[in-house]
Amino acid sequence: MRKGKVDALLGIVFGDEGKGKIVDVFTPEYDIVARFAGGPNAGHTIMFEGKKFVLRSIPSGIFDEGKLNIIGNGCVIAPDLFMQEAKELEEAGYDLRSRLHISKRAHLILPTHRVLDRAYEAAKGKNKVGTTGKGIGPTYSEKASRTGLRVGDILENFEEKYEALKARHERTLRDLNFSDYDITEEERLWMQGIDYMRQFSLTDTEIELGKALKEGKSVLAEGAQGTMLDIDHGTYPYVSSSNTVSGGVCTGLGVAPNAIGDVFGIFKAYSTRVGSGPFPVELLDETGDRIRQIGHEYGAVTGRNRRCGWLDLVALRYAIMINGVTQLIMMKSDVLDSFAEIKVCTKYTKNGASTEEMPYDTDGWQAVYETLPGWQTDLTKMTNEKQFPQELKDYIAYIERATETPITIISVGPDRAQTIVR
Ligand code: IMP
């Protein structure tokens, strides 16, 4: 943490790396925690004072008194889901209104954006993206088309603007022959959510951040999803619709590139992916099932089974380059405790060709592995890296060599205490 800088904490593979836990470990150090991209497609599971919370839009610094949390301009926000999430926190005793500011430039997810999300997916037939159904794609498309509604819009003549946009969406849905929806109840809650949001500080968060940085405050930019789901650098078109990479911190918060300090890249000791799309390391066998079971790899937002596989160094190296990762954080190492052998994908192969670099079209490539001995030791009680079995030390050293990046934190269990800082 450096004063007057923005550190980024990013999932650097397909999301679900366990950012929630690490943000929780990191937040006490920072003055401000800010979300810069994505919306309720994210689900950051956090244990706080023995209670489990799944944060979707609200930054993870919300539990600490005296900390400012920002939902930045790069985010999209669904007022009904925001209200649900915020009320749960308020009922648990957290004073949100003094701790949370929302950018007036963030875009609103309308109920009809969620219907459009379903309609576009249905129209794709077997090439579905497998979205979370939260209206993310249609809302970001609308932003790019310059027809979207922003949080600041709710402060003046909102109903008129809302009705006009909704009518346009309904026309599109008619053109798509998609009539299987009824948003009456959803819309009622959504409008309640709009009223509820009006009670919050809706501000020019980029100006606030600019001033805070000048005063020497420290900022943690909390990523959502992962690099391989980035709209530009992920496995397009099987991606989300925002820039999830460190560049997205600048655009999604309105901070300059020279304000970025450390970039922490979070990955799991193995790989997972939710939704469709290329995944060369996917294990469709017992080993994959075993990783899923031990790692509880089921989606926090959708409950779907996560696809599981071994660590992918091709993806990891690419993500480190794109994000400028300065430190790596390896999560869920304990999930591999019982494996006699651990594999690592070092390159991809297709039709006799092979590559160690992320190909433009990741479809159809197969993983080539190197096999390392497993540690077959319970890591969950370890508190110091000196206690690590040699095989784990070798695994860590192998990844550090292959990525030319230090692994500075190793997580050996879900609890905050099971976090080993080197
Ligand atoms: P969308 O963001 O709902 O449009 O979904 C696009 C793709 O990103 C789908 O494959 C989703 O499963 C995936 N996705 C979106 N958000 C997350 C996340 O927070 N974790 C993991 N995968 C996600």
Side-chain angles (χ1 to χ4, degrees), residues 14-16 41-42 129-133 136-137 225 229 239-240 274-275 304:
F14 285 109
D16 308 316
N41 48 346
V129 175
T131 72
T132 59
I136 305 296
Q225 292 82 46
L229 292 172
V239 290
S240 194
V274 204
R304 288 179 288 182

Side-chain angles (χ1 to χ4, degrees), residues 115-171:
V115 182
L116 284 167
D117 198 351
R118 292 208 299 279
Y120 291 139
E121 280 284 85
K124 286 197 168 111
K126 62 177 174 34
N127 296 321
K128 287 183 185 26
V129 175
T131 72
T132 59
K134 303 290 176 208
I136 305 296
T139 307
Y140 278 112
S141 307
E142 196 104 56
K143 173 180 177 177
S145 311
R146 295 150 297 183
T147 48
L149 285 178
R150 299 187 292 175
V151 168
D153 283 314
I154 73 177
L155 301 172
E156 225 176 308
N157 298 332
F158 180 65
E159 276 68 20
E160 216 175 285
K161 294 179 226 169
Y162 170 78
E163 288 302 333
L165 187 54
K166 181 178 126 183
R168 224 159 44 75
H169 290 166
E170 286 171 339
R171 279 198 299 277

Side-chain angles (χ1 to χ4, degrees), residues 38-40 71-79 102-110 113 136 138-153 165 190 197:
I71 300 180
N73 59 278
C75 297
V76 290
I77 183 160
I102 305 172
S103 169
K104 283 196 275 191
R105 293 167 193 267
H107 276 248
L108 292 172
I109 304 175
L110 271 60
H113 279 135
I136 305 296
T139 307
Y140 278 112
S141 307
E142 196 104 56
K143 173 180 177 177
S145 311
R146 295 150 297 183
T147 48
L149 285 178
R150 299 187 292 175
V151 168
D153 283 314
L165 187 54
W190 195 87
M197 269 177 70

Side-chain angles (χ1 to χ4, degrees), residues 387-413:
Q387 300 164 319
F388 284 171
Q390 189 55 44
E391 293 83 355
L392 174 61
K393 287 184 187 160
D394 292 345
Y395 190 57
I396 293 168
Y398 181 95
I399 299 167
E400 288 186 322
R401 251 193 332 272
T403 60
E404 298 176 42
T405 314
I407 301 179
T408 53
I409 296 180
I410 293 133
S411 175
V412 293

Side-chain angles (χ1 to χ4, degrees), residues 280-281 310-314 317 343-348 366-370:
V281 291
W310 297 115
L311 185 67
D312 182 349
L313 286 177
V314 179
R317 279 193 299 258
K343 291 189 184 179
V344 181
C345 164
T346 53
K347 56 184 175 182
Y348 298 158
Q366 276 167 351
V368 177
Y369 297 103
E370 209 161 292

Side-chain angles (χ1 to χ4, degrees), residues 22-317:
I22 291 299
V23 172
D24 187 28
V25 173
F26 273 36
T27 41
E29 289 187 43
Y30 291 87
D31 300 309
I32 300 174
V33 183
R35 283 276 305 268
F36 62 90
N41 48 346
H44 294 174
T45 309
I46 294 207
M47 291 297 292
F48 208 79
E49 288 164 353
K51 202 166 179 268
K52 183 173 155 180
F53 296 93
V54 178
L55 298 179
R56 291 173 159 190
S57 292
I58 296 175
S60 306
I62 204 70
F63 302 102
D64 294 339
E65 211 179 320
K67 211 158 286 275
L68 176 63
N69 290 269
I70 286 179
I71 300 180
N73 59 278
C75 297
V76 290
I77 183 160
D80 49 350
L81 299 181
F82 169 75
M83 178 172 66
Q84 196 183 44
E85 183 182 337
K87 279 193 166 165
E88 199 183 314
L89 289 163
E90 287 192 316
E91 277 157 23
Y94 300 105
D95 170 25
L96 256 60
R97 315 228 176 161
S98 65
R99 295 182 199 172
L100 180 66
H101 290 184
I102 305 172
S103 169
K104 283 196 275 191
R105 293 167 193 267
H107 276 248
L108 292 172
I109 304 175
L110 271 60
T112 38
H113 279 135
R114 295 193 284 243
V115 182
L116 284 167
D117 198 351
R118 292 208 299 279
Y120 291 139
E121 280 284 85
K124 286 197 168 111
K126 62 177 174 34
N127 296 321
K128 287 183 185 26
V129 175
T131 72
T132 59
K134 303 290 176 208
I136 305 296
T139 307
Y140 278 112
S141 307
E142 196 104 56
K143 173 180 177 177
S145 311
R146 295 150 297 183
T147 48
L149 285 178
R150 299 187 292 175
V151 168
D153 283 314
I154 73 177
L155 301 172
E156 225 176 308
N157 298 332
F158 180 65
E159 276 68 20
E160 216 175 285
K161 294 179 226 169
Y162 170 78
E163 288 302 333
L165 187 54
K166 181 178 126 183
R168 224 159 44 75
H169 290 166
E170 286 171 339
R171 279 198 299 277
T172 308
L173 288 163
R174 273 197 297 279
D175 290 346
L176 287 165
N177 266 330
F178 194 85
S179 56
D180 178 21
Y181 68 95
D182 175 4
I183 56 164
T184 323
E185 178 55 16
E186 210 173 312
E187 194 175 37
R188 193 181 63 77
L189 284 172
W190 195 87
M191 283 297 177
Q192 270 181 24
I194 291 285
D195 278 339
Y196 179 77
M197 269 177 70
R198 287 192 179 112
Q199 301 163 28
F200 280 77
S201 299
L202 311 178
T203 62
D204 298 306
T205 50
E206 69 284 6
I207 295 176
E208 285 184 289
L209 277 168
K211 285 184 183 158
L213 289 169
K214 227 173 178 174
E215 286 165 14
K217 297 251 166 70
S218 57
V219 181
L220 182 67
E222 177 184 3
Q225 292 82 46
T227 298
M228 299 316 295
L229 292 172
D230 180 273
I231 183 76
D232 284 279
H233 302 289
T235 54
Y236 192 90
Y238 300 97
V239 290
S240 194
S241 299
S242 64
N243 282 116
T244 59
V245 297
S246 57
V249 174
C250 296
T251 55
L253 290 178
V255 297
N258 61 1
I260 304 292
D262 260 312
V263 179
F264 299 99
I266 310 192
F267 70 105
K268 282 190 273 214
Y270 52 92
S271 303
T272 62
R273 171 163 205 172
V274 204
S276 331
F279 190 35
V281 291
E282 180 165 24
L283 294 168
L284 293 164
D285 58 9
E286 269 174 27
T287 310
D289 292 343
R290 213 169 123 204
I291 295 176
R292 181 176 311 107
Q293 228 169 24
I294 303 173
H296 306 290
E297 295 295 354
Y298 310 97
V301 172
T302 58
R304 288 179 288 182
N305 272 4
R306 292 181 184 146
R307 301 154 70 192
C308 296
W310 297 115
L311 185 67
D312 182 349
L313 286 177
V314 179
L316 212 58
R317 279 193 299 258

